[in-house]
């Protein structure tokens, strides 16, 4: 009898096969045949230069074709040429590629890649440690942005679309100044770069009794608020979202204050993916959105590396159509397969983490209402290319999506810095 892990691998492949074009591979090979990874800019085996092509979702081995120009190794003279992102030599160490002839609206060659063009403010690099923090923040951001592109979600810089675009402020509080609060407002996501300090982040995680707190988790949560504005607000999706997540028009500030004064409801584990999700429908959406991105990227990674292990036995009660938002949906069976494979995969990965004395890889238990919400988010992502507009009163997005401490706030008008090149 084949092992449960082999069955799991088969189910992962079958469940996600129809969506493979919309997700992001994570395993690559150099021209020498050795494995290379998403963040690599050079093969450690043969020293071949590498670069990430976001629209092809591939790390490419490169060969020079002129001054500052590259093409895929061995692809021939007619292969497209690329330039490296200007932040390649900066502390950000960006390994992304830009089509050689890609120009801005003024006809100038774009110096920055699709990910770096989203930056509005970067940390003051004259301050000690900020270069390291920025490097770590950018690694997490590039992982996020590559996934958003792979899922077919709109990723447009605010500099190119002021009303609907996305931008990032990476800030650090000055000595003695007001603390920086991670949050989202009108397409601008603020990240406190001190979250890149492992010790400080772990201290906050313990203080707030959070089972999980990572830079990538912050990015995925905050971008959930952005996509609420892009994909849900003012569209026909607002009705089913309110049915499942609750009325987002209730007072946000009052809901947050109640959460900090009284704590989460006693039954939060039966209804939400996390305690923070119970604060307000906006936070429930953002937390569930982040979990969806966690799940998809983890499954993508498992598929990319062809999970294949023997003698692993996992038994889990499978989710059925009764738990779904729309059991009759044409994609319901595939979504269930993905969800059940995810449940078994994380059980194995949690045990592997414990074997190394580490915290659980996925320290959450999905309650039944969260499964329905995840299916709704899946449907919205799947249809992101053509959201259906509907008349609706504008609902302002939260000005802060995660509040590490009630006293923390974002500086009202951060001074933009020149991008590092």
């Amino acid at each position: 009898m084949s092992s449960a892990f082999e069955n799991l691998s088969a189910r992962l492949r079958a469940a996600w096969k129809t969506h493979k074009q919309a997700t992001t591979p994570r395993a690559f090979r150099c021209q020498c045949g050795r494995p290379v990874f998403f963040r690599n800019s050079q093969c450690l085996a043969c020293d071949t230069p590498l670069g990430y092509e976001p629209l092809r979702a591939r790390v490419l081995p490169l060969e020079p074709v002129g001054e500052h120009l590259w093409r895929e190794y061995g692809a021939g003279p007619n292969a497209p040429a690329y330039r490296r992102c200007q932040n390649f030599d900066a502390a950000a160490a960006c390994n992304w590629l830009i089509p050689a002839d890609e120009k801005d609206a003024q006809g100038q060659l774009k110096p920055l890649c699709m990910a770096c063009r989203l930056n509005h403010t970067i940390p003051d690099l004259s301050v000690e440690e900020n270069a390291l923090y920025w490097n770590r923040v950018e690694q997490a951001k590039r992982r996020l942005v590559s996934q958003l592109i792979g899922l077919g979600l709109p990723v447009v810089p605010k500099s190119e679309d002021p009303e609907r675009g996305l931008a990032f402020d990476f800030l650090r509080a000055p000595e003695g100044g007001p603390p920086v609060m991670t949050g989202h407002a009108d397409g601008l996501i603020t990240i406190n770069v001190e979250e890149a300090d492992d010790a400080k982040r772990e201290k906050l995680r313990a203080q707030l009794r959070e089972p999980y707190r990572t830079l990538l988790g912050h990015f995925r949560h905050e971008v959930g608020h952005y996509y609420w504005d892009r994909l849900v607000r003012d569209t026909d999706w607002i009705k089913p979202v309110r049915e499942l997540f609750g009325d987002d028009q209730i007072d946000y500030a009052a809901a947050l204050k109640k959460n900090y004064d009284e704590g989460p409801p006693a039954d939060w584990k039966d209804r939400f993916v996390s305690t923070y999700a119970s604060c307000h429908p906006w936070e429930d959406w953002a937390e569930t959105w982040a979990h969806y991105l966690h799940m998809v990227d983890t499954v993508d990674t498992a598929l990319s590396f062809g999970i294949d292990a023997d003698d692993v036995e996992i038994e889990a009660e499978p989710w059925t159509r009764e738990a779904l938002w729309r059991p009759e949906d044409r994609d319901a069976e595939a979504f269930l397969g993905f969800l059940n494979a995810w449940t078994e995969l994380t059980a194995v990965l949690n045990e592997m983490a414990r074997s190394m004395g580490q915290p659980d890889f996925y320290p959450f238990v999905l309650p039944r209402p969260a499964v329905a919400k995840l299916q709704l988010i899946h449907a919205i992502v799947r249809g992101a290319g053509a959201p259906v507009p509907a008349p609706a009163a504008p609902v302002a997005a939260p000005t802060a999506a995660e509040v590490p401490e009630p006293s923390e706030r974002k500086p009202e008008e951060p001074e933009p810095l020149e991008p590092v090149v």
Side-chain angles (χ1 to χ4, degrees), residues 70-383:
W70 306 84
R71 69 181 171 211
E72 183 177 1
Y73 189 99
N78 296 324
Y82 299 97
R83 291 177 286 112
R84 285 198 179 276
C85 177
Q86 206 164 20
N87 277 337
F88 174 74
D89 292 317
C94 180
N95 69 335
W96 284 32
L97 301 171
I98 312 167
D101 58 354
E102 187 170 60
K103 297 179 180 180
D104 60 22
Q106 288 72 47
Q108 301 297 312
L109 291 175
K110 292 182 177 180
L112 300 174
C113 71
M114 293 180 71
C116 289
R117 288 200 295 271
L118 299 173
N119 291 351
H120 175 253
T121 309
I122 63 171
D124 181 355
L125 299 181
S126 69
V127 177
E128 188 178 4
E129 298 175 329
N130 277 1
L132 174 62
Y133 291 168
W134 187 38
N135 178 276
R136 292 175 177 175
V137 165
E138 288 290 346
Q139 288 181 33
K141 187 195 76 179
R142 289 195 291 270
R143 184 95 184 188
L144 168 80
V145 175
S146 68
Q147 184 183 24
L148 300 178
I149 294 170
L151 286 169
L153 292 165
V155 182
V156 180
K158 211 166 179 60
S159 59
E160 299 175 13
D161 186 347
E163 291 191 7
R164 291 163 57 84
L166 176 64
F168 293 94
D169 276 350
F170 300 136
L171 306 178
R172 184 181 183 186
E175 191 70 30
V180 171
M181 182 174 66
T182 292
H184 165 267
D186 193 28
L188 180 63
I189 291 173
T190 299
I191 299 291
N192 179 357
V193 298
E194 289 192 317
E195 289 281 347
D197 185 310
D198 295 339
K200 292 179 180 178
R201 188 179 63 254
E202 176 61 20
K203 182 179 179 180
L204 272 175
R205 190 195 67 78
Q207 286 177 348
L208 298 171
R209 297 187 294 277
E210 295 176 341
Y212 172 91
R213 189 182 184 96
T214 67
L215 273 174
L216 184 54
H218 283 318
F219 274 107
R220 286 174 171 162
H221 176 104
E222 300 305 338
V223 87
H225 288 297
Y226 167 71
Y227 284 113
W228 168 283
D229 290 347
R230 286 296 309 264
L231 305 179
V232 175
R233 191 186 69 184
D234 305 331
T235 78
D236 280 346
W237 287 118
I238 192 67
K239 182 177 179 181
V241 167
R242 283 176 175 164
E243 288 173 355
L244 265 64
F245 290 88
D247 185 3
D248 55 282
Q249 298 172 99
I250 64 175
D251 190 299
Y252 179 74
L256 278 188
K257 184 177 186 303
K258 180 179 180 182
N259 174 73
Y260 285 109
D261 290 346
E262 303 176 11
D267 65 344
W268 73 266
K269 290 183 179 180
D270 299 327
R271 297 189 288 137
F272 303 99
V273 295
S274 68
T275 57
Y276 197 65
S278 68
C279 293
H280 186 277
W282 274 331
E283 299 307 338
D284 191 11
W285 162 271
E287 286 284 271
T288 310
W289 174 278
H291 278 250
Y292 178 77
L293 295 188
H294 292 332
M295 295 164 70
V296 171
D297 200 21
T298 302
V299 167
D300 256 345
T301 302
L303 288 169
S304 297
F305 285 93
I307 293 177
D308 184 13
D310 296 327
D311 304 322
V312 177
E313 295 296 335
I314 291 291
E315 293 184 5
E317 187 71 24
W319 291 103
T320 61
R321 286 176 178 262
E322 287 71 25
L324 298 181
W325 162 61
R326 283 187 177 169
E328 74 286 354
D329 188 87
R330 62 182 174 83
D331 201 34
E333 198 61 38
F335 179 78
L336 276 175
F338 159 68
L339 182 67
N340 288 323
W342 159 261
T343 301
E344 295 186 23
L345 175 63
T346 52
V348 174
L349 292 174
N350 282 347
E351 284 301 317
M352 293 178 70
R354 293 164 193 162
S355 72
M356 290 293 292
Q358 295 293 322
D360 281 359
F361 168 86
Y362 184 72
F364 303 95
V365 176
L366 291 175
R368 181 167 175 158
V371 169
K373 295 170 187 175
L374 284 166
Q375 190 204 10
L376 174 55
I377 286 176
H378 173 67
I380 292 171
V381 169
R382 189 181 62 195

